[in-house]
Amino acid sequence: MALEKKDVEAIAHLARVAIDEADVEDYAESLSNILGLADQLNSVDTDGVTPMAHPMHMVQRLRADEVSETNQREHLQEHAPAVERGLFLVPQVID
Amino acid sequence: MAWEIVIGCEIHVQLATKSKIFSGASTAYGAEPNTQACAVDLGLPGVLPVFNADALAKAVKFGLAIDAEIGMRSVFDRKNYFYPDLPKGYQISQMDYPIVGVGEIDVDMEDGTTKRIGITRAHLEEDAGKSLHEDFQGMTGIDLNRAGTPLLEIVSDPDLRSSKEAAAYMRKIHSLVRYLEISDGNMQEGSFRCDANVSIRPVGQKEFGTRAEIKNINSFRFVEKAIDHEVERQIAVIESGGRVVQETRLYDPDKDETRSMRSKEEANDYRYFPDPDLLPVEIDDAYVEAIRKTLPELPDARRQRFESEYSLPEYDAGLLTASRELADYFETVVKQSGAEAKICANWVMGELSAALNRDTIGIEASPVNAENFAGLVKRIADDTISGNTAKKVFEAMWAGEGSADKVIDAKGLKQISDSGALEGIIDEVMSNNSQQVENYRNAEPDKRGKMIGFFMGQVMKATQGKANPGEVTKLLNEKLNG
């Protein structure tokens, strides 16, 4: 499956990645190669094989339902670019 | 053209755990912004989510209650999208292997019929934070206290055929999660909210029409109004030659309309994939059976028991079991009053429910608790007070004047049932109204029934309403006809 220029732009947008217009062709080719590899994998007969959810053959450990965290707002907000009345401030989003 | 309405619901139920689904931060409602958002909830680099055992137990409990397939192996996936209230850039959810699979639930309709609604699945996921769009110098404020709160998303089949059915379904699920004590179901606080997928098709057509999704409906009243409005909109679009577009719409209760949420994210491409931070969750039969043992008596079973054990009409039993709290209240009243169940039902559904509705408070906050209410019903049943007096006593109890016995004593409302005392009063009334007595005795027997009311009124007046009406009727009949 070959990706076109517009596919690359759509993927970049979904991932919020800024890309150079000049590099789009290269990305299209590289990504198409990866998809080519996936196509090759697709040709293997996997009937009756349970899809792998995780490379480690272990199961999830559970945590008891207990509140173990304390309020560390001040500490955690030290790195935030903008804070007001305890809220993180981000560029305006409106639906 | 005649249209058929097709609705499927996605209900988000906040599970009543103390801590979040993947972190040890508190889920308590109403805290100061970001004081309950830890490094995991903030999606800081290097953190690892660890799954909350109680969220799992509560989800399985729901699955068992709707007789669903339980996911013995369930997998968490990442649902990718960008929004600032979702700091990781993805929501941890379940896609291909949810914790609860296919199930069903019987929903009671207004006309007394029951309709079986299919449940497609129910999966666990984390809630997002909250965006505040007030003015912060042209910026948006983000509170991540809610981020990571455990949700169970219950997805129905497209089996609902009217807004009323959708509301009835929503009520049933609400009642069930409260019975199961897996959620507080508080709709004002967002613990229970519904998205409705609505489409229409010509009656008889097999294929579904294009659907629109109405987001975040948080009241039973709004679900009906929002769907009715959306159906009208879709009919208008199609009948004027247009086409319904698949989109997300938001219901505005103030304007009673739905409007399109124009998302910049045109393609809803969530690129789900298994979350590498979380291993598959595996449970065994012993685990499931242990949860099954914790199931309470469920609403349908309880309603049937109320019909058989208490000989209540279907209507009464349905009403009294609509919420676990009301059903518990009723059963306490029956046990403690020793009165006939139907009398208890009448008073709980009558005076008590009316007062609760009038003051818009829930049964759990009733100023008259079940024990005290039982005390009142007991005095009705043993003829200490008449039904009319009981209403006055109840009002006094509601206003905080104490137990039924205390109010009856304090106000001297004890009913006069002693036939000796009543005979004396009746004799006096008859001698003071000899003309009426003569008229009565000369009247045709079929007219006498009405005339006796006059004497009853006089006796009640003389006793300030405290005479036992049954006893008075009996004595009056004896004396007037004798």
Side-chain angles (χ1 to χ4, degrees):
Chain A
M1 180 187 170
L3 287 181
E4 290 175 30
K5 212 177 136 208
K6 66 171 177 18
D7 299 319
V8 174
E9 282 160 356
I11 294 164
H13 169 70
L14 285 171
R16 298 298 189 277
V17 175
I19 52 171
D20 240 323
E21 178 67 31
D23 297 334
V24 173
E25 289 285 347
D26 277 349
Y27 284 127
E29 200 187 324
S30 308
L31 290 170
S32 296
N33 286 341
I34 295 171
L35 291 178
L37 183 66
D39 272 344
Q40 204 179 327
L41 292 172
N42 268 344
S43 66
V44 179
D45 179 9
T46 54
D47 278 357
V49 178
T50 314
M52 185 175 70
H54 201 279
M56 284 160 80
H57 286 277
M58 293 164 71
V59 296
Q60 178 63 35
R61 290 187 54 171
L62 305 178
R63 177 177 61 79
D65 179 30
E66 279 155 16
V67 176
S68 55
E69 295 285 344
T70 52
N71 173 20
Q72 297 200 57
R73 182 172 78 183
E74 223 169 293
H75 174 54
L76 291 168
Q77 288 191 334
E78 273 169 28
H79 311 284
V83 168
E84 194 180 314
R85 279 184 271 154
L87 299 163
F88 293 96
L89 294 190
V90 300
Q92 196 157 47
V93 280
I94 289 177
D95 272 325
Chain B
M1 182 181 283
W3 297 98
E4 183 180 39
I5 304 164
V6 177
I7 305 160
C9 283
E10 292 163 14
I11 295 179
H12 288 86
V13 177
Q14 184 179 315
L15 298 175
T17 56
K18 294 194 277 293
S19 65
K20 295 193 176 168
I21 184 167
F22 299 120
S23 85
S26 169
T27 55
Y29 180 81
E32 283 293 304
N34 293 309
T35 54
Q36 294 176 172
C38 69
V40 174
D41 308 325
L42 261 48
L44 293 184
V47 298
L48 264 189
V50 189
F51 184 33
N52 184 334
D54 197 42
L56 173 65
K58 285 182 158 62
V60 170
K61 203 171 176 183
F62 176 80
L64 291 173
I66 59 161
D67 215 6
E69 292 165 18
I70 302 298
M72 304 306 278
R73 177 177 178 274
S74 57
V75 176
F76 284 108
D77 297 283
R78 290 186 180 182
K79 177 180 180 180
N80 298 278
Y81 67 96
F82 274 93
Y83 206 76
D85 60 16
L86 188 75
K88 294 194 297 295
Y90 58 87
Q91 178 190 31
I92 304 178
S93 181
Q94 297 184 313
M95 182 63 179
D96 293 325
Y97 302 95
I99 184 65
V100 176
V102 172
E104 57 194 22
I105 190 164
D106 287 334
V107 176
D108 317 301
M109 301 302 161
E110 250 176 10
D111 63 3
T113 59
T114 300
K115 183 168 175 177
R116 181 156 293 181
I117 304 299
I119 305 285
T120 315
R121 58 187 278 151
H123 60 263
L124 282 159
E125 62 184 27
E126 56 178 345
D127 206 346
K130 219 165 69 181
S131 317
L132 294 128
H133 300 289
E134 300 143 37
D135 193 28
F136 296 98
Q137 297 101 45
M139 299 182 89
T140 294
I142 305 290
D143 175 9
L144 294 169
N145 280 348
R146 205 179 60 189
T149 299
L151 297 178
L152 185 66
E153 179 175 336
I154 304 161
V155 183
S156 84
D157 292 342
D159 286 350
L160 302 158
R161 290 290 174 270
S162 70
S163 60
K164 279 204 177 347
E165 287 189 12
Y169 167 76
M170 201 170 154
R171 278 178 209 281
K172 187 64 182 261
I173 296 282
H174 187 257
S175 157
L176 184 61
V177 299
R178 303 258 300 148
Y179 260 83
L180 294 170
E181 291 177 324
I182 60 172
S183 173
D184 65 15
N186 189 322
M187 297 169 96
Q188 281 78 43
E189 294 177 5
S191 300
F192 190 92
R193 40 193 209 262
C194 179
D195 300 342
N197 286 299
V198 180
S199 66
I200 57 169
R201 61 182 171 189
V203 170
Q205 181 182 305
K206 268 198 158 156
E207 299 79 36
F208 292 128
T210 307
R211 66 172 197 259
E213 181 178 17
I214 315 172
K215 276 265 186 220
N216 272 341
I217 308 166
N218 69 344
S219 97
F220 298 123
R221 199 159 52 87
F222 288 163
V223 75
E224 269 191 67
K225 292 182 78 171
I227 291 172
D228 286 341
H229 174 87
E230 178 56 21
V231 167
E232 274 172 41
R233 188 191 69 87
Q234 291 188 10
I235 291 174
V237 167
I238 295 176
E239 291 190 343
S240 63
R243 200 165 62 78
V244 174
V245 209
Q246 184 163 343
E247 62 179 346
T248 304
R249 300 181 70 85
L250 205 67
Y251 179 65
D252 182 343
D254 294 330
K255 293 186 186 147
D256 187 25
E257 61 177 34
T258 62
R259 60 187 157 76
S260 185
M261 283 170 74
R262 271 185 311 272
S263 176
K264 283 182 202 158
E265 199 86 22
E266 280 306 322
N268 262 345
D269 187 348
Y270 293 128
R271 295 152 291 147
Y272 281 94
F273 64 87
D275 190 332
D277 285 348
L278 288 152
L279 291 154
V281 179
E282 287 186 12
I283 52 177
D284 56 19
D285 290 339
Y287 177 87
V288 173
E289 288 319 304
I291 302 273
R292 196 188 300 279
K293 285 204 180 76
T294 69
L295 284 180
E297 184 182 24
L298 297 175
D300 291 347
R302 199 166 193 184
R303 187 184 58 199
Q304 278 163 21
R305 181 169 64 79
F306 274 27
E307 286 178 41
S308 57
E309 185 178 331
Y310 300 123
S311 311
L312 289 179
E314 197 184 328
Y315 175 82
D316 295 22
L319 214 100
L320 290 168
T321 53
S323 90
R324 186 172 175 172
E325 290 79 6
L326 184 61
D328 288 346
Y329 192 104
F330 167 76
E331 292 213 271
T332 306
V333 173
V334 172
K335 280 195 191 83
Q336 303 219 351
S337 69
E340 226 176 278
K342 180 61 181 153
I343 294 179
C344 297
N346 289 348
W347 281 87
V348 168
M349 296 186 305
E351 290 305 298
L352 179 72
S353 293
L356 290 170
N357 284 339
R358 184 192 63 210
D359 296 353
T360 55
I361 43 181
I363 184 90
E364 63 286 347
S366 169
V368 178
N369 67 22
E371 287 74 19
N372 279 330
F373 199 78
L376 174 67
V377 177
K378 190 174 181 173
R379 293 300 166 234
I380 302 164
D382 70 9
D383 272 343
T384 306
I385 50 174
S386 68
N388 265 329
T389 307
K391 289 181 184 177
K392 287 183 215 151
V393 176
F394 175 73
E395 283 308 317
M397 291 167 75
W398 190 263
E401 292 177 33
S403 70
D405 284 349
K406 195 174 156 202
V407 171
I408 293 166
D409 272 357
K411 295 189 187 283
L413 294 172
K414 199 166 184 305
Q415 182 163 262
I416 305 167
S417 300
D418 172 59
S419 53
L422 287 176
E423 270 186 69
I425 294 161
I426 289 169
D427 288 342
E428 206 179 310
V429 165
M430 284 172 67
S431 69
N432 289 343
N433 300 280
S434 50
Q435 184 60 48
Q436 276 84 354
V437 174
E438 207 183 311
N439 291 350
Y440 176 91
R441 288 184 172 146
N442 292 334
E444 297 293 323
D446 63 322
K447 296 253 168 70
R448 288 180 173 181
K450 262 192 173 168
M451 295 171 82
I452 206 165
F454 166 78
F455 297 101
M456 175 65 89
Q458 294 300 312
V459 173
M460 285 299 175
K461 207 171 152 192
T463 58
Q464 285 116 42
K466 287 185 284 185
N468 177 339
E471 195 64 25
V472 174
T473 308
K474 197 180 104 207
L475 291 171
L476 277 173
N477 271 317
E478 281 170 20
K479 287 184 179 288
L480 288 166
N481 299 335

